[in-house]
Amino acid sequence: MSAPATHAADEIQVKAPDQHLEEGVQHAQSSGQHQHRKDAALALLGDDRVEMTDEQNRLVARKIDLNILPPLCWVYFLQILDKSCVGYAANFGLQTETHLVGNQYSLVSSSGYWAQLAFCCGFTAFLIVRVPTRILMSVCILCWGTTMIGLAFSKSFGPLLANRFLLGMFEAINIPLFTVVTMSWYRRHEQPMRIAMWYGTNGVASMLGSLLAWGLSFSQSKVLYVYQILFLTVGLATVITAPLIYWRLDNNPATAKFLTPQERLWAVERLRSNNTGVETKEIKWKQVLETVIAIPTWLFIAITFCVNLGASVTNTFGPLIIKGFGFDARQTILLNIPFGFVQATVCVVGCLCAARFGYKSVVIIAFMLPCVLGAGLLYGLGRTANYQGGLLFGYYCIAFLFGCNPLIFSWLAANTGGHTKKSLAVSLCNAGLAAGNIVGPLLFNSNQAPEYHQGLAAVLGIFIACSVISGILAFVFLLMNKRKEKQRVANGKPAKLVDSSMAKVYQAGPSEKTENGYRLGDQAFDDLTDVQNDEFVYSY
């Protein structure tokens, strides 16, 4: 009978003695010359291999889940809640009390995405590579929390626009940073579900944010309007979070304080089969060039753009459908709750399917089917009262679209090696997300009301395009795997490699060198890109 998991770290013997463990950690944390150029995993392990069983792998994974995942979920929840507050505030007098006219409210709402688009085209990748994770995340949280408080005291168009732009700028780091953090701590098999956990708080924020806005709408104050109380509440919660994240979060598994020295070695060794490295602090310009010219990069940007452009239909038809039921502002807020529940559910279900079957492309295509159905119902049904149920059903069907973003980012993460490349690729993909949110509302002009047939026809085409791009991506990765097989044969290695990073049960790679003098996995922490590493296996 095996020993309890809590004692596994004490009973398992590894190849490296305890003295080596301590020296390795000190070496990884040292700040000597050129240290920032090494991958954190290579600085800790060197050329050593660490013996490890699936039991120890699960032990370390549980500790990472308890210490890394909750901060990511909480911070992403706050980001969505903060960003959504502008929409909630519109139901409680924001436009009237700040004297917004014409398209000024639309400009305030979209200015955050303009900031996100600008800063995700390179600058966020630079920060992710050069600035330690807990410092970068804490500073951004503090800045956008302060900006939320600033929104509470913005009483005209100019200050509202400036603060909303700043809010988008400071929040632009989140998805790229969180994706890279997930890549740095988890095996490729584990990544989709972990990304779904923090991204799925998008739907949770919609539900709880609606309840919060509804509850605060009963506030009676002679000094503050309801929307100001809302901004202050979430802004203060965000500001308080910043020092907690700095205290709680670790930068990478090689220096994690919540792991013992032995567990740090396990935490790093379990990532070897990913072939994507852990973390370096050097900008590598060859990786920048490779990212820009890579076909998959632009296909990922395109599919992210299309998914988030299509999501604009929810912003257009949500208020239209709910207004048709004759509900007041408080009831309208509460009707966002079912939509948020569907969002959270599809994020988790989609990534569970991707982790179970290993084909993210197929899940994305499957999620497009209810989206096409929903857009078709909105296109074909009339706008009279007897069609309101069908319109609401079609509106909720389109929520499946929100399950695609975590799948796309986890797919990109699994198929990108090299710290500079993965940081830039995810940042550019997030820029595509921002561009989709900017362009989407332009599909729906007021002169199309109430049917919006032209906009809905465009959205139907976009949903079909998402499926096509997903299929093209899978085909491109198939071709790239075929090319990798030829590359390995030319280098004296086996053509076919078992991608153990996608296996549910941890499997250690071969520890002995072959007669040809190589050992699979030795270059896993050399900060090579997926193109440079002939042992890289692309997922579909």
Side-chain angles (χ1 to χ4, degrees):
M1 183 174 179
S2 62
T6 54
H7 299 298
D10 297 325
E11 297 185 359
I12 299 301
Q13 297 295 321
V14 297
K15 286 186 174 180
D18 290 343
Q19 183 180 357
H20 174 75
L21 303 183
E22 297 294 349
E23 289 176 354
V25 173
Q26 292 171 5
H27 180 57
Q29 293 175 327
S30 66
S31 57
Q33 189 177 13
H34 306 309
Q35 183 68 26
H36 67 287
R37 297 182 182 179
K38 292 183 179 180
D39 191 286
L42 185 63
L44 179 63
L45 291 183
D47 294 329
D48 292 331
R49 293 290 180 97
V50 181
E51 291 180 355
M52 180 181 177
T53 66
D54 185 59
E55 185 180 359
Q56 287 93 55
N57 167 65
R58 293 175 183 274
L59 170 68
V60 172
R62 283 195 297 271
K63 294 189 74 171
I64 293 172
D65 283 341
L66 290 173
N67 288 274
I68 298 299
L69 205 52
L72 295 184
C73 292
W74 173 246
V75 173
Y76 198 80
F77 167 82
L78 282 178
Q79 181 220 336
I80 298 301
L81 184 61
D82 291 359
K83 187 164 57 177
S84 302
C85 278
V86 175
Y88 296 141
N91 289 295
F92 297 109
L94 174 66
Q95 292 169 270
T96 302
E97 303 304 335
T98 55
H99 313 292
L100 299 182
V101 296
N103 66 344
Q104 287 183 336
Y105 174 75
S106 297
L107 289 173
V108 169
S109 298
S110 64
S111 61
Y113 290 114
W114 283 106
Q116 186 174 321
L117 177 62
F119 280 83
C120 279
C121 291
F123 187 62
T124 54
F126 173 82
L127 292 175
I128 291 170
V129 173
R130 294 309 301 267
V131 182
T133 300
R134 69 172 186 163
I135 295 176
L136 179 58
M137 192 181 297
S138 301
V139 170
C140 288
I141 293 169
L142 179 63
C143 290
W144 95 58
T146 304
T147 303
M148 280 299 299
I149 295 173
L151 275 171
F153 298 99
S154 300
K155 299 182 179 180
S156 62
F157 172 66
L160 278 173
L161 183 67
N163 278 298
R164 184 65 185 89
F165 182 88
L166 290 173
L167 187 65
M169 182 180 74
F170 295 126
E171 291 179 341
I173 197 73
N174 277 356
I175 289 182
L177 178 60
F178 285 24
T179 304
V180 171
V181 167
T182 306
M183 295 169 71
S184 301
W185 288 87
Y186 289 101
R187 297 172 59 235
R188 290 209 292 181
H189 172 77
E190 300 163 346
Q191 289 172 9
M193 193 61 220
R194 272 61 180 187
I195 290 178
M197 292 299 289
W198 56 257
Y199 191 90
T201 59
N202 194 325
V204 178
S206 296
M207 292 186 285
L208 297 184
S210 297
L211 288 173
L212 176 64
W214 177 81
L216 291 177
S217 68
F218 294 96
S219 301
Q220 300 292 330
S221 174
K222 297 180 180 179
V223 179
L224 298 173
Y225 296 109
V226 170
Y227 77 86
Q228 290 179 301
I229 298 173
L230 182 62
F231 286 155
L232 282 174
T233 301
V234 297
L236 289 172
T238 305
V239 169
I240 292 171
T241 296
L244 297 177
I245 292 298
Y246 181 82
W247 168 72
R248 189 80 171 105
L249 195 65
D250 281 292
N251 291 320
N252 60 66
T255 59
K257 297 186 296 293
F258 64 87
L259 297 174
T260 67
Q262 201 168 30
E263 289 169 346
R264 289 175 199 144
L265 287 178
W266 290 340
V268 171
E269 183 63 39
R270 66 195 291 272
L271 303 177
R272 186 181 295 277
S273 59
N274 285 0
N275 276 301
T276 56
V278 175
E279 179 185 85
T280 61
K281 291 303 173 188
E282 179 190 14
I283 299 290
K284 296 187 177 179
W285 294 104
K286 288 184 179 180
Q287 293 191 17
V288 172
L289 177 61
E290 184 180 310
T291 307
V292 173
I293 65 174
I295 293 175
T297 299
W298 297 103
L299 289 173
F300 274 118
I301 293 172
I303 193 171
T304 308
F305 172 79
C306 288
V307 165
N308 290 278
L309 190 150
S312 63
V313 70
T314 62
N315 299 325
T316 300
F317 275 94
L320 176 68
I321 294 167
I322 294 172
K323 183 180 178 181
F325 285 114
F327 294 124
D328 60 23
R330 290 193 176 106
Q331 293 169 325
T332 300
I333 287 289
L334 290 178
L335 281 175
N336 281 321
I337 294 175
F339 191 80
F341 176 78
V342 177
Q343 279 182 278
T345 302
V346 297
C347 283
V348 174
V349 170
C351 287
L352 276 175
C353 292
R356 172 66 179 83
F357 301 107
Y359 292 94
K360 300 177 183 70
S361 56
V362 175
V363 180
I364 291 173
I365 293 171
F367 274 9
M368 286 300 112
L369 298 179
C371 294
V372 169
L373 172 63
L377 288 172
L378 293 176
Y379 184 93
L381 294 178
R383 301 298 180 257
T384 56
N386 55 315
Y387 291 116
Q388 290 294 338
L391 291 171
L392 191 62
F393 176 75
Y395 171 62
Y396 286 152
C397 280
I398 295 176
F400 277 82
L401 194 67
F402 293 92
C404 292
N405 274 335
L407 287 168
I408 292 169
F409 281 102
S410 63
W411 196 10
L412 173 61
N415 286 338
T416 309
H419 194 60
T420 299
K421 182 177 181 180
K422 63 190 177 187
S423 300
L424 180 58
V426 177
S427 295
L428 291 174
C429 200
N430 198 40
L433 182 151
N437 279 285
I438 292 170
V439 176
L442 301 179
L443 297 176
F444 299 92
N445 297 319
S446 58
N447 58 7
Q448 301 175 19
E451 290 84 9
Y452 293 96
H453 280 158
Q454 293 178 7
L456 283 169
V459 167
L460 274 169
I462 288 163
F463 292 158
I464 295 171
C466 289
S467 299
V468 173
I469 296 171
S470 181
I472 293 173
L473 263 170
F475 180 70
V476 167
F477 287 133
L478 175 65
L479 295 179
M480 294 174 76
N481 273 334
K482 294 293 184 183
R483 186 169 61 187
K484 285 290 183 188
E485 291 175 9
K486 295 179 181 179
Q487 193 178 0
R488 285 192 286 270
V489 171
N491 294 337
K493 299 180 180 181
K496 297 284 187 181
L497 293 180
V498 176
D499 185 10
S500 59
S501 70
M502 296 296 291
K504 183 177 181 180
V505 178
Y506 173 78
Q507 302 170 10
S511 59
E512 302 299 330
K513 291 186 177 180
T514 66
E515 58 184 16
N516 293 327
Y518 71 84
R519 183 172 58 170
L520 292 176
D522 271 356
Q523 57 193 28
F525 300 129
D526 288 344
D527 196 32
L528 300 178
T529 67
D530 51 283
V531 174
Q532 295 169 336
N533 187 351
D534 64 350
E535 297 174 11
F536 197 93
V537 179
Y538 295 98
S539 67
Y540 307 118

